[in-house]
Amino acid sequence: MLLQNKTIAIIGGGPGGLTLARLLQQKGGTVKVYERDLNRNVRTQGATLDLHENSGLKALISANLLDTFKTRYRPGAEKGRVLDKAGNILYDEHETSGSEIDFDSPEARPEIDRSDLREMLLDSLAADTVVWDSHFASMVQADGQWEITFKNGKTALADIVIGADGANSKIRPYVTEIQSSYAGITILQGNVENAKTKAPRMYELLNGGKIYTHSEGKYLHISAKGDGSIDFYVSSKTDENWAKDNSAIFSDRTQLNEWFKTTFTAWNSVYFELFENVDLPMLIRPQYCIPFDQTWEAQSSITLLGDAAHIMAPSGEGVNLAMLDALELCECLTNPKFEDLQTAIAAYETPMFQRAAEEVTTSCEMIEWMHGDNAQEKLINLFKEMGE
Ligand SMILES: Cc1cc2nc3c(=O)[nH]c(=O)nc-3n(C[C@H](O)[C@H](O)[C@H](O)COP(=O)(O)OP(=O)(O)OC[C@H]3O[C@@H](n4cnc5c(N)ncnc54)[C@H](O)[C@@H]3O)c2cc1C
């Protein structure tokens, strides 16, 4: 097989990198994952993630992890409520859909907390697969291998490098000169711990699921998490420097409260529960996206997957695409029909480019309608269509 006597270094232990490590190990591959987090207990931020039949769930089935997933996903977490800024419930999935997920249905979109997905994937790997505290700094090719240097001064050798290091990938420049560009929106993300006590009205309204509010060009996405916290983010159209110019506000309680009152005038005080109790600093995430027509020539010892390959503003598919990339890359690298690694990597990259181009189109369309005047009506109609 192509991977015989080859050492694979996956840079980045997110959902994409860990899924690939698991799949390759099942096929006998020699893999290390180099992750910048100091250890596996570093808190993973972010909302719950829904996995889809043709991508995330498909990868989990191939990784023999569907049964484990069924013990860790959160039934009901996928149910959403559309609220207006006054706090009125305009559409309620708790009333329109049942509680059991049918895993055989193409519409199944079970939700799992990001930290649980990571735990589950980590537990599935051979001992010492992940090398923590390995923040990639640079690498050079010498004698047919990659010599990788990390910020802590340590080095590693690998025959094949996979960049799975997310939005600001440091591996990407070794693969392509194509850069992403600002997508036009910036996301502010925060977490309220112990939400039942700190944000009781919002906790109750969430009912274990999600809330979506669109008003005045702002999109507020709120999720209940399994650890009793609430994750929320606000996205809005701003210029690229807005985050840099305003970062002080989001690490200072007094400034944040003032900003909320002036930016969310006439919003119901239930929303204030979030900003008043959010852990500081809030994360400020300007969103970037790749060009629609991105391609590059395949190399024989390096490629990218997930956000490193195709960053775009959230469209609800990012994790699913990363896991599908992992599945298809593993299938190509271990398929005996390919004569050499470059051909195998090209066979992985060609459909990956196509998928990314389609999804980045959707993502850009979503930016427009989700921050437009009719966002609320459009979302309600989408929910109604899905419910029928
Ligand atoms: C606000 C927000 C909401 C989102 N909501 C959803 C959603 O609901 N559903 C969905 O499917 N997607 C969602 N996404 C997108 C999703 O989070 C990403 O697409 C997905 O996490 C990509 O997975 P990945 O494995 O490619 O990269 P990541 O999850 O970013 O993982 C990259 C890993 O690499 C590590 N790393 C980074 N740099 C280095 C380095 N130099 N050296 C070593 N390690 C490094 C990081 O610590 C991390 O562990 C959302 C994104 C945002 C910003």
Side-chain angles (χ1 to χ4, degrees):
M1 96 161 169
L2 291 173
L3 298 182
Q4 191 103 37
N5 302 321
K6 300 272 190 238
T7 309
I8 304 158
I10 299 171
I11 312 296
L18 295 177
T19 302
L20 179 64
R22 162 70 176 179
L23 292 166
L24 286 172
Q25 283 185 345
Q26 284 190 144
K27 303 258 183 170
T30 306
V31 192
K32 288 280 182 199
V33 178
Y34 296 96
E35 166 57 46
R36 70 179 169 187
D37 283 352
L38 291 184
N39 57 58
R40 69 181 283 166
N41 301 318
V42 169
R43 198 160 154 237
T44 323
Q45 286 204 307
T48 57
L49 299 162
D50 53 321
L51 298 192
H52 307 161
E53 194 212 20
N54 281 322
S55 45
L57 287 175
K58 190 174 167 191
L60 280 187
I61 289 168
S62 196
N64 276 318
L65 289 172
L66 187 65
D67 286 342
T68 316
F69 177 81
K70 285 181 178 173
T71 66
R72 302 191 84 144
Y73 84 103
R74 290 189 36 234
E78 75 284 0
K79 288 181 195 235
R81 283 179 163 158
V82 180
L83 262 65
D84 63 13
K85 69 176 186 177
N88 300 307
I89 300 174
L90 307 178
Y91 186 82
D92 190 354
E93 277 195 300
H94 295 272
E95 286 180 359
T96 56
S97 56
S99 57
E100 284 300 308
I101 296 260
D102 175 4
F103 276 87
D104 295 324
S105 155
E107 277 84 45
R109 294 189 160 221
E111 297 263 349
I112 186 164
D113 283 12
R114 191 178 279 265
S115 50
D116 283 345
L117 180 61
R118 189 183 221 192
E119 283 284 307
M120 189 183 103
L121 290 166
L122 285 171
D123 288 345
S124 75
L125 299 176
D128 300 326
T129 301
V130 180
V131 188
W132 299 98
D133 188 17
S134 300
H135 196 148
F136 174 89
S138 63
M139 61 185 180
V140 288
Q141 266 185 309
D143 300 330
Q145 283 198 305
W146 290 100
E147 191 178 307
I148 309 166
T149 304
F150 300 98
K151 283 196 175 168
N152 61 10
K154 293 192 176 158
T155 58
L157 285 175
D159 299 295
I160 303 168
V161 169
I162 314 292
D165 53 337
N168 301 310
S169 172
K170 298 292 181 286
I171 305 300
R172 188 176 164 93
Y174 294 84
V175 175
T176 177
E177 289 176 353
I178 303 170
Q179 295 188 356
S180 53
S181 57
Y182 183 58
I185 56 165
T186 292
I187 288 179
L188 274 175
Q189 189 171 17
N191 190 265
V192 179
E193 281 179 67
N194 189 11
K196 195 173 181 178
T197 309
K198 288 185 176 171
R201 289 169 62 210
M202 184 54 86
Y203 181 85
E204 185 105 338
L205 264 175
L206 274 165
N207 196 15
K210 294 181 186 300
I211 285 176
Y212 313 96
T213 307
H214 299 80
S215 189
E216 301 152 350
K218 295 187 264 302
Y219 167 42
L220 190 47
H221 178 111
I222 311 166
S223 311
K225 289 180 60 178
D227 61 2
S229 71
I230 292 176
D231 179 276
F232 70 99
Y233 66 84
V234 189
S235 77
S236 51
K237 285 188 171 178
T238 62
D239 68 61
E240 191 177 1
N241 289 326
W242 182 84
K244 223 171 23 192
D245 297 343
N246 291 282
S247 61
I249 299 175
F250 303 101
S251 49
D252 178 86
R253 183 75 58 199
T254 312
Q255 288 190 61
L256 177 62
N257 288 350
E258 199 50 43
W259 175 84
F260 175 79
K261 281 182 197 149
T262 49
T263 314
F264 287 74
T265 350
W267 285 55
N268 189 289
S269 57
V270 70
Y271 296 104
F272 195 33
E273 284 189 346
L274 299 175
F275 290 90
E276 213 171 25
N277 294 291
V278 66
D279 296 341
L280 295 182
M282 289 186 76
L283 297 176
I284 311 178
R285 300 178 183 274
Q287 296 296 299
Y288 290 83
C289 70
I290 51 154
F292 296 86
D293 56 354
Q294 163 181 283
T295 58
W296 57 74
E297 202 170 320
Q299 299 183 44
S300 59
S301 63
I302 184 167
T303 187
L304 305 172
L305 62 72
D307 280 5
H310 40 69
I311 184 61
M312 62 190 81
S315 63
E317 293 290 342
V319 162
N320 289 284
L321 288 183
M323 292 173 74
L324 183 58
D325 288 351
L327 175 60
E328 296 202 350
L329 178 55
C330 176
E331 282 174 353
C332 288
L333 291 176
T334 56
N335 189 331
K337 83 173 182 195
F338 296 116
E339 283 173 11
D340 55 51
L341 279 166
Q342 188 172 9
T343 318
I345 288 175
Y348 152 69
E349 288 177 347
T350 303
M352 183 269 283
F353 293 140
Q354 180 63 32
R355 277 196 300 276
E358 285 165 16
E359 197 54 36
V360 82
T361 306
T362 305
S363 160
C364 291
E365 287 167 1
M366 283 176 78
I367 288 177
E368 288 312 311
W369 73 257
M370 289 181 85
H371 300 86
D373 289 341
N374 300 320
Q376 195 169 272
E377 290 74 19
K378 173 137 187 177
L379 186 66
I380 292 172
N381 286 337
L382 279 176
F383 273 127
K384 284 184 179 159
E385 279 167 28
M386 274 161 33
E388 279 160 12

